[in-house]
Amino acid sequence: MISKNIYTFKYYLLLSLFSLIVQSISAQITNSFIYDSQNRSYITYLPSAFTQGTSLPVVLIYHGYGQTADNMMLYSQFNQLAETHDFIAVYPQGINNSWNVGLVGNSTSDDIGFTDALIDTLYSKYSIDLLRVYACGMSNGGFFSHLLACQMSDRIAAIASVTGSMTILMESNCQQSRAVPVLQIHGTADAVVPYSGASGVLSVDALMQFWANKNNCAQTPTITNITDINSTDLCTVEKHHYTPCAGQEQLILYKVINGGHTWPGGFPVASLGNTNQDINASAEIWDFFNNFSLPASLSEHIQDIDLVQIYPNPVYSGKVSVNNNQNEAIEIFLINSVGQVLKDLNIKAKESMVLELNMYSKGIYIIKAKSK
């Protein structure tokens, strides 16, 4: 694990004070940053309730395979909910329009590290509520949401998956530090990610049993039939609530009978099967997320990341990125646990650097950043 100390001149304190000027904004913004030598982009929707210095929740919304952040924004219509319910909607873009969940043909990029860095970046820009960061996605993005629940349970408060599942490898390697609330929405006639599972992919029933075991929830769900308010959509919905759970977490499945590989409440895509209109997936996801936040003990993730970003932290890949967000160069020092300086490097203003750590043994290291 890498900790961070920042030493700056006094005028940086003044800049921090200036950022507290209240400013009401409603905006859709496309941004990017370099992570692991790749340009990673994302779309942010800021509701009109956003003001500098006010911490709002964040929903990360991951697109499906072959799709884009723009596609996901239009399809899910999360911006409307963000405006109404005062949260920030963020649409990350995958490399080669996919997410790394271990499936053949998907991205091989470090998307977990990218998400970790993205959360830090959003905090730097918008002072987001780090205890209320949520993740959801469709299909490949739904798989990735489950992976985030396994690998980033200390940063993601709850997840939701629409038409996604887990690979058997994800299931066997799932290491979470806390129980994560999970919402699954899946059609029984999904021809892309079959409800009954596929080679190397869990069935939805097996997926729910996996999370019931992980979260110490009831093995048999309480089933409620959702009112069929639109008979022309040719599908209906059952709500499977795996209750009680050991803690405050919840585990819920919306089983869309005869539903296709689609986003309920979204516009129909005939080639992907029936699109249910009895529920709105985006609204159900936000209603679910709004019940949860990370334990206050995890607020240690809040650091001085507005000046210098260091990610991922902890480091698993042997590489750590350092971003200098300041308007002048900084000097950074990599220090081991006995105070020995291992590296002394300069980073220019608004630039980043990747440190190779493979030559060092596992342990705790400190990165100090000092203005030149």
Side-chain angles (χ1 to χ4, degrees):
M1 180 178 292
I2 291 181
S3 61
K4 172 174 53 177
N5 292 324
I6 304 207
Y7 299 90
T8 62
F9 293 127
K10 289 183 179 179
Y11 69 81
Y12 287 116
L13 296 176
L14 292 175
L15 287 175
S16 296
L17 289 174
F18 291 155
S19 70
L20 295 178
I21 296 174
V22 175
Q23 183 179 17
S24 181
I25 301 173
S26 177
Q28 178 183 311
I29 307 163
T30 299
N31 279 314
S32 65
F33 59 87
I34 301 298
Y35 174 75
D36 201 18
S37 301
Q38 293 179 304
N39 187 54
R40 303 306 303 260
S41 64
Y42 60 98
I43 300 171
T44 304
Y45 179 81
L46 299 175
S48 55
F50 171 76
T51 57
Q52 293 287 357
T54 300
S55 297
L56 294 181
V58 168
V59 178
L60 304 173
I61 306 138
Y62 293 85
H63 61 74
Y65 179 80
Q67 301 300 306
T68 66
D70 280 296
N71 296 151
M72 197 65 214
M73 181 175 61
L74 294 172
Y75 191 39
S76 67
Q77 296 292 297
F78 256 108
N79 289 1
Q80 297 175 13
L81 285 168
E83 183 64 32
T84 303
H85 296 283
D86 300 340
F87 64 87
I88 298 173
V90 178
Y91 306 86
Q93 176 61 50
I95 298 296
N96 297 324
N97 296 346
S98 65
W99 303 103
N100 185 357
V101 297
L103 290 171
V104 175
N106 284 179
S107 169
T108 58
S109 299
D110 179 13
D111 290 323
I112 292 292
F114 163 56
T115 296
D116 195 40
L118 176 58
I119 294 171
D120 286 349
T121 299
L122 293 169
Y123 179 73
S124 171
K125 289 178 175 291
Y126 309 118
S127 299
I128 63 172
D129 186 346
L130 288 177
L131 299 183
R132 300 192 66 199
V133 177
Y134 312 100
C136 65
M138 179 176 182
S139 194
N140 183 207
F143 277 81
F144 189 63
S145 297
H146 285 294
L147 185 62
L148 288 172
C150 290
Q151 296 196 19
M152 289 185 63
S153 58
D154 61 337
R155 305 214 74 180
I156 303 295
I159 69 106
S161 166
V162 182
T163 74
S165 184
M166 293 180 76
T167 66
I168 292 174
L169 186 61
M170 285 168 57
E171 176 194 28
S172 61
N173 291 331
C174 187
Q175 299 290 332
Q176 53 182 161
S177 60
R178 51 173 281 273
V180 179
V182 172
L183 173 65
Q184 179 74 21
I185 302 175
H186 215 111
T188 61
D190 189 329
V192 179
V193 182
Y195 189 93
S196 58
S199 178
V201 175
L202 296 182
S203 70
V204 175
D205 289 340
L207 174 70
M208 301 310 289
Q209 287 301 313
F210 168 79
W211 284 119
N213 291 332
K214 275 282 186 181
N215 289 357
N216 292 315
C217 298
Q219 297 294 305
T220 302
T222 299
I223 300 175
T224 305
N225 291 316
I226 302 298
T227 304
D228 185 15
I229 61 175
N230 188 330
S231 60
T232 64
D233 60 12
L234 304 179
C235 47
T236 57
V237 182
E238 294 176 353
K239 181 178 182 180
H240 294 219
H241 197 169
Y242 291 76
T243 186
C245 298
Q248 299 299 312
E249 299 77 27
Q250 293 187 43
L251 176 60
I252 295 175
L253 164 66
Y254 282 101
K255 183 176 182 178
V256 186
I257 309 302
N258 206 35
H261 191 70
T262 52
W263 189 276
F267 51 83
V269 182
S271 62
L272 296 177
N274 297 324
T275 301
N276 185 266
Q277 300 297 334
D278 302 321
I279 62 171
N280 181 291
S282 300
E284 296 295 343
I285 288 169
W286 173 248
D287 285 346
F288 180 76
F289 285 167
N290 201 29
N291 295 302
F292 308 106
S293 62
L294 288 174
S297 60
L298 291 177
S299 61
E300 64 191 33
H301 285 294
I302 301 177
Q303 305 178 63
D304 293 322
I305 56 180
D306 54 332
L307 299 178
V308 177
Q309 292 174 274
I310 298 173
Y311 53 84
N313 184 11
V315 177
Y316 301 105
S317 64
K319 295 180 180 180
V320 62
S321 294
V322 182
N323 276 7
N324 178 15
N325 294 326
Q326 302 178 86
N327 292 318
E328 71 172 2
I330 61 171
E331 186 175 12
I332 63 168
F333 306 89
L334 178 64
I335 305 169
N336 63 17
S337 59
V338 297
Q340 180 183 9
V341 176
L342 306 176
K343 286 183 182 291
D344 179 354
L345 302 166
N346 295 322
I347 306 179
K348 294 180 180 179
K350 303 296 183 181
E351 291 193 0
S352 62
M353 177 179 291
V354 176
L355 303 182
E356 296 283 350
L357 303 177
N358 287 318
M359 69 286 294
Y360 304 118
S361 59
K362 294 181 179 179
I364 297 176
Y365 296 84
I366 296 170
I367 288 181
K368 287 187 178 181
K370 184 174 72 173
S371 296
K372 294 285 288 180

Coordinates of all heavy atoms in Angstrom, one line a residue, residues 25-29 43-48 79 83 89:
I25 N -24.3 24.5 -11.7 CA -24.0 24.0 -13.0 C -24.9 22.8 -13.4 O -25.2 22.0 -12.6 CB -22.5 23.5 -13.1 CG1 -21.5 24.6 -12.7 CG2 -22.2 23.0 -14.4 CD1 -20.1 24.2 -12.6
S26 N -25.3 22.8 -14.6 CA -25.9 21.5 -15.2 C -25.2 21.3 -16.5 O -25.3 22.1 -17.4 CB -27.4 21.7 -15.4 OG -27.9 20.6 -16.0
A27 N -24.4 20.3 -16.6 CA -23.5 20.1 -17.7 C -23.2 18.7 -18.0 O -23.1 17.8 -17.2 CB -22.2 20.9 -17.5
Q28 N -22.9 18.5 -19.3 CA -22.4 17.2 -19.8 C -21.0 17.4 -20.3 O -20.8 18.2 -21.2 CB -23.4 16.6 -20.9 CG -22.9 15.3 -21.5 CD -23.8 14.9 -22.6 OE1 -25.0 14.9 -22.5 NE2 -23.3 14.6 -23.8
I29 N -20.1 16.7 -19.8 CA -18.7 17.0 -20.1 C -17.9 15.7 -20.4 O -18.1 14.7 -19.8 CB -18.0 17.6 -18.8 CG1 -18.7 18.8 -18.3 CG2 -16.5 18.0 -19.2 CD1 -18.4 19.2 -16.9
I43 N -17.6 10.3 -19.8 CA -18.6 11.4 -19.9 C -19.1 11.6 -18.5 O -19.5 10.7 -17.8 CB -19.7 11.1 -20.9 CG1 -19.1 10.9 -22.3 CG2 -20.7 12.2 -20.9 CD1 -20.2 10.4 -23.3
T44 N -19.2 12.9 -18.1 CA -19.8 13.2 -16.8 C -21.0 14.1 -17.0 O -21.0 15.1 -17.8 CB -18.8 14.0 -15.9 OG1 -17.6 13.2 -15.8 CG2 -19.3 14.3 -14.6
Y45 N -22.1 13.8 -16.3 CA -23.3 14.7 -16.3 C -23.4 15.2 -14.9 O -23.5 14.5 -13.9 CB -24.6 13.9 -16.6 CG -25.7 14.9 -16.6 CD1 -26.0 15.7 -17.6 CD2 -26.5 14.9 -15.4 CE1 -27.1 16.6 -17.6 CE2 -27.6 15.8 -15.4 CZ -27.9 16.7 -16.4 OH -28.9 17.6 -16.3
L46 N -23.3 16.6 -14.8 CA -23.4 17.3 -13.5 C -24.8 17.8 -13.4 O -25.2 18.7 -14.3 CB -22.4 18.4 -13.4 CG -20.9 18.0 -13.5 CD1 -20.1 19.3 -13.5 CD2 -20.5 17.1 -12.3
P47 N -25.6 17.5 -12.4 CA -26.9 18.0 -12.3 C -26.9 19.5 -11.9 O -25.8 20.0 -11.4 CB -27.6 17.2 -11.2 CG -26.4 16.7 -10.3 CD -25.2 16.5 -11.3
S48 N -28.0 20.2 -12.1 CA -28.0 21.6 -11.7 C -27.8 21.8 -10.2 O -27.4 22.9 -9.8 CB -29.3 22.2 -12.2 OG -30.4 21.6 -11.7
N79 N -29.1 10.5 -17.2 CA -29.0 11.9 -16.9 C -30.3 12.5 -16.3 O -30.2 13.4 -15.4 CB -28.6 12.6 -18.2 CG -27.2 12.3 -18.7 OD1 -26.5 11.6 -18.1 ND2 -26.8 12.9 -19.8
E83 N -30.4 14.4 -12.7 CA -31.0 15.8 -12.5 C -32.0 15.8 -11.5 O -32.1 16.7 -10.6 CB -31.5 16.3 -13.9 CG -32.0 17.7 -13.8 CD -30.9 18.7 -13.5 OE1 -29.8 18.5 -13.9 OE2 -31.2 19.7 -12.9
A89 N -23.8 11.4 -12.8 CA -23.8 10.2 -13.7 C -22.5 10.3 -14.5 O -22.2 11.3 -15.1 CB -25.0 10.2 -14.6

